[in-house]
Amino acid sequence: MRRISCLRACILGAAIIGLLVQSTWAGVFGKNKLQTRDLRWHIFETEHFEIHYYPEEEALAREVCALAEAAYRHNTRLLREKTVTKTPLFIYRNQIDFQQTNILPHVIGVGTGGFTEAYKNRVALPAPDSPRELREVIFHEFTHVLQFNILYGEGIRSFRVYKGYLIPLWIIEGMAEYAAQDWDHYADMVVRDAVINDTLIPLTLMDGFSHLEDVYLAYKESQLAIQYIAERFGEDKLAAIFKKFKSQISISQILRETVGLGLGEFNRDFMHWVKQKYWVQTHQRKSADDFAAPLETGLAARNSVGLGASWSQDGRNLAYLSNRDQVMRVYIKPRGQASRAYPITRRQFENISTRGRPLTWSPDGSRLAFVAREEGSDHLYLLTLHDHALERRILPVDTFFSPAWSPDGKQIAVAGVKNGVGDIYLYDLDQGTLNQFTGDRYADDAPAWSPDGRALVYASERGEYWQLVWSPMQTPAEPSRMLTMHPSQHKTPSFSADGKTLYYSGDRNGIFNVFSLDLERLEARQWTDINSGAFQPDLSPDGKRLAFTVYQGGGYALYLMPVQAENEKTAAALPDSGSQTVFLENNVPAQKDAESAEAMPAQEISPSGAD
């Protein structure tokens, strides 16, 4: 099973806790699954796969065909194992449909990115909007297919699969993550944080993951352990190690026979290697406490969440998400050092989306909008501050997140996913209609309105990197343009009140920090140099305080940093910002052509009364 990272869960998507790879070996049985639609499958057959898909997913399914065959070529070489029969691979339109699958009898968690069922070696996955993540999950899950073939042979398996319990999970998952090449600066951050706080998990404690507090850390450590084997002893040892489990059960003995070290010795050397690797990255970098103040004291703990800060336009209130009472809620922090934050939502939702920028204010500061899941579906909620009333809107896309209220108060932009493709949509609050704003294969996220309402800026995944794109609202002849082109990530943009500067999170130097981009000179500046990771920056309307999310101690916390002249001296201009204006002649947003922009009626506009 592939799990989405804990960080991606909070910054890019829903918060998750990992479980086991072999889904059929661990689950919660006896629960009924809610069925909301009749799933009718079509099938593409390739040389080695049967791709099951919905008719509306045909374009995505063709992409999956190519990726699956690429996974076959790569992984069969890595594990020295091939399949005889074709592997069934099911693509679900979204996470909600995926959770209704009958391939597994037990309930699937929100954060599950895919699974491989052991008895018939069937792969199932929800379609991610990111082409990069789609590739990673297919490569990951097909590794499990080959692992099951090595252990049990092909065809329908008997209950001999219990033998899988005897294989340490760090071996199984580490190989799958290594094969998927699923490593980025988020993973670096989580492991580096564990090194700083001395919370690395010994391999001797990773026979399983369900007892661990930080499962994503376990996944990434496992991947590093496999990488360490490949670099020190040779990649050919990976297949040799796994194939010995056909006749042996002692990982210590298997390691001794293949790499010359028992488990204890291997764990010692591996831990030393990891610490050396990551202590170097912390040199001369600061923790958030060295230059900023936490918004909530005592929150930063493993699996804690405090994120998504959003200032009201008058600067009187700061809204954010927190699970300080073990339930994710929307909090309001009024202006003033003596004022205390208070929760404004009392209802316990199935999930509040934390991807992108999760909260947005109405222009008059009287309402907040956010996306939450209830009854198995995502809804847009409009929350009135004075009476805490909630109004629910249902949008006709598979899933959506990161709402942004327009300056005139008439529209809310959201990042939405339909048939596995992520685009920006505009929701008309009066008409209850949804219009597609962008239309391409790129995954788009975190829309932000310019203060004058004339443009949207959003993050768009272009190849390996997320870049910032500027798209005008009122000039049909003017195409969208790239604001950044540097080979690094650029996430969650937000405007300064005067509209002259964008603040965003970027990993230009290998660690996510707060950056700004001067829109007149297209000059990027770095505002933090942190040893963990900084995300979701939002500048107060008076320009004096910057709120941002920090990952530290295995959790997420909000910090406030003064933005004054003395801070400007440390915000070094980047000599090679890579920020360029590049016109996208073939990427004019869909709404520019009024005749072709199809308005989709909302399915429901239902005030839900007081919360």
Side-chain angles (χ1 to χ4, degrees), residues 313 360-364 367-369 380 382 393 395 402-414 424-437 447-450 452-456 471-474 591-592 597 599:
Q313 289 195 11
T360 182
W361 289 90
S362 62
D364 62 5
R367 291 191 291 176
L368 278 166
L380 177 67
L382 309 179
R393 305 287 183 101
L395 278 57
S402 197
W405 218 308
S406 65
D408 62 9
K410 296 180 180 180
Q411 300 180 92
I412 292 180
V414 297
I424 304 300
Y425 292 82
L426 300 179
Y427 178 69
D428 188 299
L429 287 162
D430 292 333
Q431 301 297 321
T433 55
L434 190 70
N435 290 306
Q436 187 173 349
F437 183 70
W449 295 84
S450 62
D452 59 10
R454 295 181 178 180
L456 271 179
S471 190
M473 299 294 299
Q474 300 173 340
Q591 102 294 342
K592 296 299 188 273

Side-chain angles (χ1 to χ4, degrees), residues 40-296:
R40 300 184 181 276
W41 298 99
H42 286 208
I43 299 176
F44 275 136
E45 290 198 31
T46 69
E47 183 178 359
H48 301 103
F49 294 87
E50 293 177 351
I51 309 298
H52 299 250
Y53 66 98
Y54 307 162
E56 59 267 30
E57 289 183 312
E58 181 174 338
L60 178 65
R62 293 182 183 278
E63 187 176 337
V64 169
C65 289
L67 290 172
E69 288 297 332
Y72 185 91
R73 293 189 295 271
H74 178 270
N75 291 9
T76 54
R77 178 195 60 79
L78 182 67
L79 289 180
R80 309 293 197 270
E81 179 74 14
K82 295 185 177 181
T83 60
V84 176
T85 59
K86 294 185 178 182
T87 301
L89 191 157
F90 294 80
I91 318 166
Y92 289 84
R93 186 180 62 178
N94 54 40
Q95 186 77 23
I96 295 170
D97 285 359
F98 175 64
Q99 290 179 277
Q100 298 173 26
T101 180
N102 288 321
I103 294 176
L104 293 182
H106 59 264
V107 176
I108 298 173
V110 172
T112 304
F115 67 81
T116 301
E117 180 266 334
Y119 294 105
K120 297 182 181 179
N121 242 3
R122 293 174 291 181
V123 174
L125 57 100
D129 57 311
S130 163
R132 179 183 56 81
E133 290 183 13
L134 179 63
R135 177 199 175 279
E136 288 172 358
V137 70
I138 291 173
F139 274 61
H140 179 111
E141 295 303 333
F142 186 64
T143 306
H144 294 326
V145 170
L146 296 179
Q147 288 171 338
F148 292 153
N149 280 355
I150 291 171
L151 295 176
Y152 316 125
E154 296 207 44
I156 299 177
R157 284 79 182 264
S158 69
F159 282 94
R160 291 182 299 118
V161 296
Y162 77 87
K163 184 170 61 175
Y165 275 122
L166 305 177
I167 304 176
L169 202 53
W170 69 265
I171 290 284
I172 296 172
E173 282 294 7
M175 286 188 178
E177 291 286 88
Y178 178 82
Q181 300 170 322
D182 181 16
W183 197 270
D184 54 23
H185 290 153
Y186 292 114
D188 281 323
M189 179 191 69
V190 172
V191 177
R192 183 173 60 249
D193 177 79
V195 170
I196 293 172
N197 293 282
D198 196 24
T199 54
L200 287 173
I201 309 166
L203 298 177
T204 52
L205 297 181
M206 288 201 290
D207 286 351
F209 293 171
S210 60
H211 65 290
L212 301 174
E213 287 187 70
D214 193 338
V215 177
Y216 179 66
L217 174 60
Y219 271 74
K220 295 295 102 178
E221 275 194 50
S222 300
Q223 182 178 352
L224 278 178
I226 299 302
Q227 178 185 331
Y228 178 64
I229 293 172
E231 290 184 4
R232 180 177 174 184
F233 305 103
E235 199 174 58
D236 61 308
K237 299 297 184 183
L238 303 182
I241 288 171
F242 201 86
K243 290 189 175 183
K244 281 185 176 292
F245 282 106
K246 294 176 68 174
S247 57
Q248 298 176 241
I249 61 173
S250 170
I251 179 59
S252 190
Q253 182 62 29
I254 290 173
L255 286 174
R256 192 175 300 280
E257 292 178 3
T258 52
V259 302
L261 298 172
L263 179 59
E265 298 167 294
F266 178 81
N267 179 74
R268 179 201 62 206
D269 291 358
F270 167 64
M271 288 293 176
H272 181 71
W273 176 77
V274 172
K275 291 175 182 178
Q276 278 191 319
K277 180 182 178 72
Y278 285 99
W279 271 121
V280 174
Q281 296 183 7
T282 68
H283 182 60
Q284 294 186 339
R285 289 190 166 95
K286 299 179 179 180
S287 70
D289 294 291
D290 293 330
F291 59 89
L295 189 64
E296 291 185 328

